[in-house]
RNA sequence: GCGGAAGUAGCUCAGUUGGUUAGAGCGCUGGAUUGUGGCUCCGGAGGCCGUGGGUUCAAGUCCCAUCUUUCGCCCCA
């Protein structure tokens, strides 16, 4: 029986062309994050299971985390997210670090669930976090990092929307404004999270079923619906609008405006699944009608670092997955032209492999990436290979060329061939490469 | 974890109410052609018809299970 060639369920192989796209996406992420002063860190793929028990959502730990017991009887998890890990790292050096601390990482993460569009079992996720800032200036900054990556990818503001809400505000709404108890709040919160996926009548009916008769008489249902319709803080009822959390949101929205992020809106239906969020939460939505989904999300989690027994550190961060990013790029026609790493394909004519070495070495020393065809096949076959690999230049090396130290360099995309010295060829290829 | 759809060559697919030795296009590969790719001509390789079981004289085709992919639900880093 033959071994299967397909990768593990929900995981991907990265062939060179796939890896090229990944390098492009990660490159954008790194460049933009570093332009804001973020420093890259990393950590093990394995963590003790306890790390996730405290604050990650229950279902994620119990059903969506890969776990096993090691030979020493320790319960181990393959990291399903990076936030607990980075909190652990910050807590470990709580006193030594320089705040505000700006860190980013692009870890691969695993979740055990059924793969579907935009969600696999293994994915890579940019994590951007700022530690030690308790004002909404932190939120404003990380949102700008997120938007900056999309902008660097060539996205325009109509392609996505930045939707902002606040856990504190929703707590105030559900507890003080609507007077719900703990269980009711939890149920309604989950319901709001699903709101856009269900028929409006279903939502109304399910929400109504949560309220007690006296709450219903007090118009809880209508109050909730009215509130969820708001798309700006100013539209909130006066009682809600004067809460501290609303003022905070207003300040953030104002900064968004100053930062020219015109597609940032207040959206009370943005809840986020994790239990550890404590304040502002936000998502960036892909506005592609074929792919209308949250592609990036984050928020404030001031309580996590403190779980490790040190003084708490206020924190804001977001995660941005490679799968949703790739869908976004494809959906909006933002896929970049992929250029192979190899600049020049050396076509050898006749048995000149040994004699050609100095010429090839010279090109490489000058920074040109050269792949040599060592197949001994006819020149036309060698060219076909170069074309198939997508290499842009071929250099022809035969006895004649070596004798006069002039070589033909052919642009395989245009078919144009010229004859030059190696020095000249090197400069032509370098100029061409730095074109874009 | 729950429900729908689909698996035939590397890719896209055809294959009649079950009936000889399973096909096409593209791709791959060799030659025409060891000093120049895309066009043309000639040749070649490549399939346990996803896997296992069942029904039948006979299964790519019908039934069951299973795996994988995909769409949705749950959930959502």
């Amino acid at each position: 029986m033959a071994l299967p060639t397909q990768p593990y369920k929900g995981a991907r192989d990265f062939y060179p062309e796939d890896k090229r796209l990944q390098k492009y996406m990660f490159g954008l992420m790194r460049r933009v994050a570093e332009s804001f002063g973020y420093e890259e860190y990393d950590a093990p793929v394995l963590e003790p299971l306890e790390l996730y028990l405290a604050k990650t959502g229950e279902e994620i730990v119990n059903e969506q985390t890969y776990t096993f017991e090691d030979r020493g009887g320790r319960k181990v998890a393959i990291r399903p997210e990076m936030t607990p890990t980075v909190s652990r790292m910050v807590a470990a050096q709580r006193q030594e670090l320089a705040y505000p601390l700006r860190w980013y990482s692009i870890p691969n993460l695993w979740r055990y669930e059924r793969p579907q569009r935009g969600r696999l079992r293994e994915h890579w996720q940019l994590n951007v976090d700022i530690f030690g800032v308790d004002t909404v200036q932190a939120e404003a900054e990380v949102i700008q990092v997120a938007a900056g990556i999309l902008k660097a990818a060539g996205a325009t503001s109509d392609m996505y929307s930045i939707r902002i809400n606040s856990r504190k505000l929703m707590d105030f709404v559900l507890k003080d404004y609507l007077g719900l108890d703990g269980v009711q709040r939890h149920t309604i919160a989950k319901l709001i999270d699903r709101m856009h996926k269900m028929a409006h009548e279903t939502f109304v009916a399910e929400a109504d079923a949560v309220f007690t008769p006296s709450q219903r008489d007090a118009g809880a249902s209508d109050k909730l619906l009215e509130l969820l319709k708001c798309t700006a803080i100013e539209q909130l009822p006066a009682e809600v609008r004067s809460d501290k959390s609303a003022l905070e949101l207003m300040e953030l929205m104002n900064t968004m405006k100053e930062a020219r992020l015109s597609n940032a809106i207040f959206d009370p239906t943005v809840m986020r699944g994790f239990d550890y969020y404590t304040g502002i939460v936000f998502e960036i939505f892909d506005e592609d009608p074929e792919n209308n989904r949250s592609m990036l999300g984050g928020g404030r989690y001031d309580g996590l670092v403190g779980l490790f027994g040190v003084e708490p550190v206020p924190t804001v961060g977001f995660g941005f997955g490679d799968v949703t990013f790739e869908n976004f790029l494809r959906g909006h026609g933002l896929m970049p032209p992929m250029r192979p790493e190899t600049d020049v394909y050396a076509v050898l004519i006749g048995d000149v492999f040994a004699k050609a070495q100095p010429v090839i070495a010279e090109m490489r020393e000058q920074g040109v990436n050269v792949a040599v065809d060592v197949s001994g096949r006819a020149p036309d076959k060698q060219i076909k290979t170069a074309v198939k690999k997508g290499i842009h230049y071929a250099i022809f090396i035969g006895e004649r060329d070596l004798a006069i130290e002039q070589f033909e360099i052919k642009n395989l995309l245009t078919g144009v061939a010229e004859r030059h010295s190696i020095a000249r060829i090197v400069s032509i290829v370098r100029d061409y490469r730095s074109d874009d």
Side-chain angles (χ1 to χ4, degrees):
Chain A
M1 48 167 148
L3 289 165
T5 56
Q6 58 195 174
Y8 175 72
K9 184 185 178 81
R12 293 161 291 167
D13 289 326
F14 289 88
Y15 286 88
E17 63 266 30
D18 308 311
K19 193 68 187 174
R20 231 164 254 145
L21 175 61
Q22 192 194 59
K23 283 201 280 193
Y24 169 75
M25 295 192 295
F26 289 4
L28 290 176
M29 291 170 169
R30 289 199 166 92
R31 207 169 71 223
V32 173
E34 287 173 8
S35 78
F36 280 78
Y38 286 74
E39 302 173 277
E40 187 166 12
Y41 67 93
D42 212 334
V45 176
L46 301 181
E47 289 280 6
L49 181 60
E50 307 89 80
L51 183 64
Y52 304 102
L53 295 177
K55 278 283 182 178
T56 306
E58 240 175 77
E59 171 155 356
I60 292 181
V61 177
N62 296 337
E63 292 167 41
Q64 300 196 347
T65 301
Y66 280 85
T67 60
F68 65 95
E69 197 167 289
D70 74 9
R71 296 185 190 203
R74 286 171 282 259
K75 298 235 192 268
V76 180
I78 301 177
R79 61 186 176 196
E81 53 157 338
M82 199 60 168
T83 305
T85 298
V86 71
S87 302
R88 174 176 67 70
M89 288 171 68
V90 170
Q93 299 192 1
R94 169 79 175 79
Q95 313 287 342
E96 284 77 20
L97 299 167
Y99 303 93
L101 183 69
R102 294 182 170 92
W103 278 5
Y104 81 93
S105 186
I106 311 178
N108 58 328
L109 308 173
W110 289 82
R111 60 178 169 213
Y112 191 86
E113 68 168 348
R114 196 146 170 182
Q116 53 186 279
R117 182 177 173 83
R119 306 176 63 194
L120 301 173
R121 286 185 171 182
E122 186 193 31
H123 77 143
W124 274 256
Q125 187 190 62
L126 169 70
N127 276 252
V128 169
D129 295 280
I130 179 164
F131 296 83
V133 180
D134 59 10
T135 68
V136 290
Q137 292 172 23
E139 279 89 339
E141 178 171 298
V142 296
I143 291 172
Q144 286 184 74
V145 172
I149 292 164
L150 298 180
K151 193 177 173 195
T156 50
S157 59
D158 57 306
M159 294 177 184
Y160 64 97
S161 60
I162 303 166
R163 305 188 184 184
I164 300 170
N165 193 17
S166 162
R167 276 282 174 87
K168 267 191 225 151
L169 179 84
M170 294 313 282
D171 281 347
F172 177 81
V173 164
L174 299 179
K175 188 177 173 191
D176 302 308
Y177 181 62
L178 295 176
L180 305 181
D181 66 31
V183 176
Q184 286 178 311
R185 291 204 293 273
H186 186 76
T187 312
I188 291 289
K190 294 277 172 194
L191 194 58
I192 293 172
D193 206 28
R194 286 186 294 141
M195 185 179 184
H196 293 302
K197 291 183 135 186
M198 54 207 305
H200 187 68
E201 305 79 59
T202 316
F203 176 81
V204 174
E206 288 197 24
D208 219 47
V210 176
F211 300 128
T212 64
S214 63
Q215 285 167 342
R216 245 173 263 148
D217 290 343
S221 216
D222 289 342
K223 281 163 92 175
L224 176 64
L225 288 172
E226 272 309 306
L227 192 131
L228 292 177
K229 275 191 219 155
C230 295
T231 53
I233 316 295
E234 292 75 18
Q235 297 166 5
L236 291 169
E239 187 187 344
V240 177
R241 210 189 314 144
S242 57
D243 186 68
K244 194 164 158 266
S245 61
L247 299 176
E248 216 176 52
L249 267 171
M250 226 177 289
E251 189 189 339
L252 177 59
M253 296 310 296
N254 193 45
T255 309
M256 293 290 97
K257 200 182 289 172
E258 293 295 333
R260 302 226 160 69
L261 295 174
S262 58
N263 50 354
I265 53 167
F266 167 64
D267 182 347
T269 66
V270 169
M271 296 301 282
R272 311 285 309 148
F274 285 128
D275 296 338
Y276 50 62
Y277 287 119
T278 55
I280 302 278
V281 288
F282 59 89
E283 292 185 339
I284 290 189
F285 262 72
D286 189 342
E287 291 294 327
D288 176 2
E290 298 292 305
N291 194 42
N292 201 249
R293 68 191 328 276
S294 165
M295 82 171 137
L296 170 167
R300 177 172 286 279
Y301 53 101
D302 288 345
L304 268 192
V305 173
L307 288 180
F308 296 89
V310 299
E311 275 294 296
V313 177
T315 312
V316 178
F318 70 84
F320 185 8
D322 65 328
V323 181
T324 50
F325 191 19
E326 181 177 335
N327 288 344
F328 178 80
L329 294 177
R330 287 187 195 283
H332 294 282
L334 295 174
M335 292 291 281
M338 291 296 168
R339 183 175 289 189
E341 292 77 9
T342 308
D343 301 307
V344 174
Y345 197 75
V347 174
L348 302 185
I349 297 156
D351 185 17
V352 294
F353 180 71
K355 284 185 192 162
Q357 292 306 311
V359 168
I360 292 160
E362 173 64 14
M363 285 192 283
R364 289 183 183 139
E365 275 161 29
Q366 297 299 321
V368 173
N369 296 339
V370 184
V372 181
D373 192 302
V374 289
S375 68
R377 293 173 303 174
D380 62 332
K381 301 293 182 200
Q382 299 186 45
I383 291 172
K384 275 182 108 163
T385 298
V387 169
K388 192 171 176 186
K389 287 177 188 292
I391 297 169
H392 290 191
Y393 280 106
I395 184 171
F396 296 85
I397 304 176
E399 296 284 1
R400 266 158 38 196
D401 319 272
L402 288 163
I404 60 170
E405 295 185 348
Q406 294 275 310
F407 302 87
E408 190 180 310
I409 181 84
K410 184 170 189 174
N411 183 320
L412 295 173
L413 301 184
T414 62
V416 175
E418 296 167 36
R419 185 165 277 278
H420 294 293
S421 67
I422 283 297
R424 181 83 188 102
I425 285 170
V426 164
S427 90
I428 287 173
V429 172
R430 286 165 125 193
D431 286 352
Y432 178 80
R433 190 174 53 187
S434 59
D435 260 4
D436 67 9

